């Protein structure tokens, strides 16, 4: 972002404005954490601030203060539409294209508000935004929100609530500081957040130690019975059907993180999880090293994401989708064949 842009932004926030903070469909920890952090800052400056998500966020994030006040477009469409139409400024956090907004897309496209993008996904559609603060090498959007607050002189407003929200974003987007975090900035920011009142241990527990018994047993069942290991392509595949989810009393968020487990195996560099939905198969991809999960997602499954964490969809049956995946792997043998030393 240019110095000129920064000055314009500082000017913009001087007087009370109607501000909307939006994030992507299926909001994750980074989406909710980044949005709520901005909310807690802007509220202190007497702006009228609303947070809007296209659909519900998972329960393990509900401890983030005032997250229950956010509008869920799928449930409160009418009031969310009104707020978006009346907005002077719309923050777009943790997404690089309005296509990531589901049903909310057309409203956002139509809106005349000044749009401020803060994001770390590759290749943002910059032309749609008045201001773009972007870096694909940042651990998380939350990290960029912290830097954005610093650049615009708002970091003095970082209180405990802001610190907790930003920490939730950083910690969930880095798998508890295990990937996308080889940068001193990430750790320096967390240190600063602790100085601002964050109880990192408490927040970590609230995010990760929230399993129901059902969710724990689903995880065990999945790893024991459902994981297909393909050692010759350094890959593991997990597939879960709607019936299996029902057997374990599935709640939104219960499959969250399962896809990461196969990467704990020494010789597995690529992990794919397929979860059956009523109208599609949802795929999650995780990889180690330089194997591009996002390229597989984009090329074959109408998706995308980050180098090591991506998602996509398949409209084939479960069996056909698994077959397709297995057919793709041989072409990537050379890229999959490496050992972390
Ligand atoms: Mn993110």
């Amino acid at each position: 972002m240019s110095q000129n842009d920064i000055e314009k932004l500082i000017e913009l926030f001087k007087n009370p404005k109607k501000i909307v903070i939006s994030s992507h469909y299926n909001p994750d920890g980074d989406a909710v954490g980044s949005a709520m952090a901005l909310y807690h800052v802007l509220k202190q400056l007497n702006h009228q601030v609303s947070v809007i998500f296209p659909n519900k966020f998972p329960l393990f994030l509900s401890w983030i203060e005032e997250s229950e006040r956010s509008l869920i477009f799928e449930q409160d469409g009418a009031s969310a539409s009104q707020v978006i139409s009346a907005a002077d400024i719309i923050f777009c956090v943790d997404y690089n294209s309005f296509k990531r907004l589901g049903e909310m897309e057309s409203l956002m496209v139509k809106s005349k508000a000044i749009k401020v993008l803060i994001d770390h996904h590759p290749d943002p559609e910059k032309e749609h935004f008045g201001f773009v603060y972007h870096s694909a090498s940042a651990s998380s959007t939350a990290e960029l929100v912290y830097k954005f607050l610093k650049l615009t002189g708002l970091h003095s407003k970082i209180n405990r609530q802001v610190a907790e929200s930003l920490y939730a974003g950083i910690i969930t987007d880095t798998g508890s500081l295990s990937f996308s975090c080889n940068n001193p900035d990430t750790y320096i920011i967390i240190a600063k957040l602790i100085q601002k009142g964050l109880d990192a241990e408490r927040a970590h527990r609230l995010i990760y130690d929230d399993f129901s018994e059902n969710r724990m047993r689903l995880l065990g069942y999945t790893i024991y019975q459902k994981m297909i290991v393909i050692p010759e392509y350094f890959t593991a595949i997990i597939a879960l059907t709607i019936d299996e989810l029902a057997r374990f009393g599935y709640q939104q968020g219960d499959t969250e993180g399962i896809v990461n487990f196969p990467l704990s195996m020494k010789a597995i560099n690529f992990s794919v999880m397929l979860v059956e939905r009523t109208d599609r198969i949802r795929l999650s991809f995780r990889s180690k090293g330089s194997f591009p999960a996002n390229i597989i997602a984009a090329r074959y499954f109408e998706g995308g994401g980050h180098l090591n964490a991506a998602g996509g969809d398949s409209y084939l049956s479960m069996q056909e989708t698994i077959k397709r995946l297995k057919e793709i792997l041989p072409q990537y043998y050379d890229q999959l064949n490496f050992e972390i030393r």
Side-chain angles (χ1 to χ4, degrees), residues 24 28 30-31 34 94 119-121 139-142 169 173 306:
H24 57 79
D28 57 6
D30 195 25
S34 299
D94 202 39
D119 185 40
H120 69 136
H121 293 86
S139 70
S140 51
T141 297
D173 254 26
H306 306 284

Side-chain angles (χ1 to χ4, degrees), residues 288-307:
K288 286 180 192 158
S290 59
F291 187 72
N294 53 356
I295 288 187
I296 303 292
R299 226 172 250 174
Y300 307 98
F301 298 103
E302 304 175 29
H306 306 284
L307 183 72

Side-chain angles (χ1 to χ4, degrees), residues 166-187:
L166 291 177
Y167 179 77
I170 295 173
I171 212 76
T172 52
D173 254 26
T174 58
S176 285
L177 298 175
S178 64
F179 52 79
S180 313
C181 58
N182 247 340
N183 185 332
D185 287 8
T186 312
Y187 296 86

